[in-house]
Amino acid sequence: MLLGYATAARSSELAALNISDVAETAEGLVVTVYRRKIKKYTETAVPYGSNPATCPV
């Protein structure tokens, strides 16, 4: 759920994610989400959080 909030993804977009859509980097994650409303793929960077309890990575 935190990943969905961090990427501003709808529940259907979050449910359609594959493991290949998520890439780990030194700063966090790069998530490729297919946006149904605009019919395009978008890449969203998700950095590490300052609090481990609420870190979406």
Side-chain angles (χ1 to χ4, degrees):
M1 293 307 293
L2 287 174
L3 183 62
Y5 182 74
T7 59
R10 292 185 163 93
S11 58
S12 61
E13 295 167 347
L14 191 58
L17 280 179
N18 291 322
I19 193 71
S20 62
D21 296 331
V22 180
E24 190 172 359
T25 65
E27 295 83 23
L29 298 175
V30 175
V31 184
T32 304
V33 179
Y34 181 74
R35 307 289 180 175
R36 291 181 183 220
K37 194 168 187 174
I38 61 173
K39 295 181 175 44
K40 286 186 179 180
Y41 285 94
T42 60
E43 284 191 351
T44 305
V46 180
Y48 288 105
S50 59
N51 184 354
T54 59
C55 178
V57 177

